[in-house]
Amino acid sequence: MTSRSSRPRRGVRALISVAAVAAFSVAVPAAGPAQAAAPAQCQGTETVTYSPGVTFTPRDIEVTVSGNFSSCLDGAGQVTSGTYGERFTIFAGCNDLLDGFEAVRVVEWNTGDSSAIDGAGSSTAVAGQVITTFTGPVVQGRFQGRSAVQTVTLVQPDLLKCLTTGLTGANGVTTLTIT
């Protein structure tokens, strides 16, 4: 049986010293775009319109999305609101409106700059609501390099309209978290 010394070895003592210095040092963040903007949390509303109305028979539908973040808070105290809007055409019917999608969503902030989020989304129908989650990295502008998660909750569409004039739109609440 060999005896071990209770003293740390020389390399271990050096490592402990470096760790102690690092723990008690004041870190100065590097200047740059990633450090300039702190994470953000926003709440607001979203409106979606379909033209022509969506029926059970799939066809080309022009979708217009309009979002307004009326209440935002970021760690820097600069971002207080934002808006986004999109217009695109999909081939869809009432049976496949909840399919997944990919998009670049650009949020225009009250500060005059913007964030481009390159994300993927999916929707589920739960308890009379359609919940869509859109996630992806911020690839350009304010918050570049951070992750974004947006959740939109819309009232579940009246499926009886799928048999007649079609679904023409929905409104709901949305939250955006950038970390």
Side-chain angles (χ1 to χ4, degrees):
M1 185 171 194
T2 59
S3 169
R4 291 188 182 217
S5 169
S6 61
R7 283 184 355 174
R9 291 179 290 176
R10 183 177 177 154
V12 173
R13 277 192 305 223
L15 183 60
I16 292 170
S17 296
V18 168
V21 169
F24 293 107
S25 296
V26 176
V28 178
Q35 295 294 332
Q41 175 76 37
C42 297
Q43 289 80 37
T45 58
E46 181 174 289
T47 301
V48 180
T49 59
Y50 306 107
S51 179
V54 184
T55 63
F56 280 116
T57 304
R59 59 185 169 177
D60 283 334
I61 307 290
E62 184 176 71
V63 180
T64 304
V65 178
S66 177
N68 180 29
F69 295 117
S70 56
S71 175
C72 294
L73 180 62
D74 76 346
Q78 296 175 344
V79 171
T80 59
S81 63
T83 59
Y84 60 94
E86 294 143 5
R87 182 173 288 188
F88 53 92
T89 300
I90 60 171
F91 185 79
C94 285
N95 290 330
D96 56 6
L97 267 179
L98 300 182
D99 286 353
F101 63 93
E102 294 180 358
V104 175
R105 174 159 287 170
V106 178
V107 180
E108 301 289 335
W109 302 110
N110 64 288
T111 56
D113 53 354
S114 61
S115 296
I117 304 165
D118 187 5
S122 62
S123 301
T124 56
V126 178
Q129 299 176 331
V130 174
I131 300 171
T132 301
T133 304
F134 179 71
T135 61
V138 179
V139 294
Q140 187 175 5
R142 182 177 283 270
F143 307 115
Q144 184 173 351
R146 298 194 184 264
S147 297
V149 177
Q150 182 178 7
T151 303
V152 181
T153 304
L154 303 172
V155 174
Q156 188 168 351
D158 179 1
L159 293 181
L160 291 178
K161 288 186 177 180
C162 291
L163 296 170
T164 58
T165 60
L167 304 171
T168 57
N171 299 307
V173 296
T174 183
T175 61
L176 173 67
T177 304
I178 299 175
T179 57

